[in-house]
Amino acid sequence: MRAHARLLEQTLVSLGLSQQNTHYFDTLRVAGADPDKVRRLALERRINFRYRSDGTINIALDETTTRADVSAIGAIFADVLGRKTSAAVSDDIDGDLSAKLAPLRRLAKPVRQSMLRRALHEALQLATGQSVWFRPRQMRVFGVIPD
């Protein structure tokens, strides 16, 4: 998500727009485009953004966002502004994003498992009212540790 958000930011900045969030992970706040024109064109292309009262537009990306989605969003803003996205940014969008994300994919499964173990451990402690110990790999409770 973060990589796609950064690529989208590069695309929008290359079009002359500004990204207003100082810090972000998956949501950009864009200024510099007519929100009514963006809304009309985005709805025609079945893409939904959040239109803020101050005239900025929030674009939230998630796990299902693809490079094609990033390109489609960039194309909406390019069409509204009557410009084309720069070739350098387009090449970057279609570049080796999978290779850059590969280390994160390897981490994703163990992180989820450790979160599950921690949540299970806390739930067992709450349910019994005592400290418990268990073998996470087998997910079986082996005993209650007296307080």
Side-chain angles (χ1 to χ4, degrees):
M1 288 182 292
R2 170 82 170 132
H4 284 128
R6 291 187 68 201
L7 291 172
L8 180 57
E9 178 185 28
Q10 290 174 2
T11 302
L12 298 176
V13 168
S14 75
L15 293 170
L17 301 171
S18 64
Q19 201 288 111
Q20 301 293 303
N21 290 335
T22 305
H23 305 286
Y24 67 91
F25 179 72
D26 61 356
T27 303
L28 303 177
R29 183 174 172 192
V30 180
D34 181 348
D36 294 327
K37 290 180 181 178
V38 171
R39 177 182 289 146
R40 183 184 50 76
L41 194 54
L43 289 175
E44 284 176 12
R45 297 181 187 179
R46 303 182 55 83
I47 296 177
N48 190 32
F49 303 131
R50 177 175 178 231
Y51 302 92
R52 301 171 54 102
S53 61
D54 64 0
T56 59
I57 302 166
N58 280 17
I59 304 170
L61 307 179
D62 65 13
E63 298 85 6
T64 63
T65 303
T66 64
R67 289 181 300 230
D69 296 328
V70 172
S71 295
I73 293 168
I76 289 170
F77 285 90
D79 291 347
V80 165
L81 297 170
R83 299 182 186 153
K84 293 186 178 186
T85 57
S86 72
V89 174
S90 296
D91 290 343
D92 203 11
I93 289 172
D94 294 329
D96 61 341
L97 185 60
S98 293
K100 292 176 185 175
L101 294 177
L104 297 176
R105 287 193 188 103
R106 286 194 296 272
L107 289 175
K109 187 174 179 183
V111 168
R112 284 193 300 266
Q113 289 174 348
S114 68
M115 291 172 68
L116 174 64
R117 284 193 295 268
R118 188 177 316 123
L120 178 59
H121 186 257
E122 290 174 8
L124 288 170
Q125 284 182 334
L126 286 172
T128 63
Q130 299 177 334
S131 298
V132 296
W133 61 277
F134 62 100
R135 288 193 178 156
R137 291 187 190 268
Q138 292 141 355
M139 296 297 186
R140 288 186 285 185
V141 176
F142 284 92
V144 176
I145 301 170
D147 287 337

